[in-house]
Amino acid sequence: MISKSKFYLNYIVKTSLVLIVLFSISASSSKMEAVSTNENINRSVDLSTMAIYINKEEEEKANEEALQKYLWGSLDSYTGDLTGYGANCPACSGRLACTGLDVRDGTDTYVDNTYGEVKIVASSSNLPCGSIIRFNYSRISPEPIIAIVLDRGVLGNDIDLLTPSEEYAFKYVGRSSITYDVLRFGWEK
């Protein structure tokens, strides 16, 4: 016969082994469940996030394209003569008709809220003050010139580009027939 102490020792050892095995199985299965559950959650979050990211990226691209079309798309085109003038011309006051800005210091650009720094032109009343135009004139710039109507004093569809001086206007602008695009009619509303 087995003594009582050996019986209890055997009982404790066997029970401990059973408990250890059960605990190990329980822990590994719950760990497996957690891993598989996390994997599924992560995958769906990743797919959702990816879809949101792609949609936002497409939306931003579409918005940027719409903005570019709005800002740089031609509303109308005109053909007229391009001439140049300086604030020191004989018939000039040195102040712009649309704003009263004094340009006798050689200023020939204006900072527009939408288009940034642009050249200044005089136009007839065909184009409202604040209109933005774009034209190409390689004698001044290889890039298209963006200008704002801030002065008056020409007829029809002609444009008179403000330059730092009359000498500059004579030497670099002269008189040429050009076609220009209107990007904005008048001031922003």
Side-chain angles (χ1 to χ4, degrees), residues 11-27:
Y11 178 75
I12 291 173
V13 169
K14 285 181 181 177
T15 306
S16 297
L17 285 174
V18 168
L19 287 175
I20 289 172
V21 169
L22 287 176
F23 181 76
S24 295
I25 292 171
S26 171

Side-chain angles (χ1 to χ4, degrees), residues 54-132:
I54 289 170
N55 288 340
K56 280 202 176 275
E57 195 175 79
E58 287 174 359
E59 183 180 329
E60 287 171 5
K61 184 178 177 184
N63 287 343
E64 180 63 27
E65 287 172 0
L67 177 64
Q68 291 303 315
K69 184 175 180 182
Y70 171 76
L71 288 178
W72 303 106
S74 177
L75 301 174
D76 208 345
S77 292
Y78 296 96
T79 298
D81 283 344
L82 172 69
T83 53
Y85 74 106
N88 61 341
C89 76
C92 298
S93 69
R95 294 191 177 278
L96 301 176
C98 296
T99 62
L101 179 69
D102 188 341
V103 292
R104 288 177 285 195
D105 62 357
T107 300
D108 63 348
T109 60
Y110 177 83
V111 179
D112 183 73
N113 291 338
T114 304
Y115 290 89
E117 188 172 358
V118 293
K119 293 289 199 176
I120 298 171
V121 293
S123 166
S124 70
S125 58
N126 288 353
L127 292 176
C129 290
S131 294
I132 298 287

Side-chain angles (χ1 to χ4, degrees), residues 171-182:
K171 184 176 181 180
Y172 294 103
V173 181
R175 177 180 292 273
S176 298
S177 180
I178 63 163
T179 298
Y180 57 92
D181 295 323
V182 178

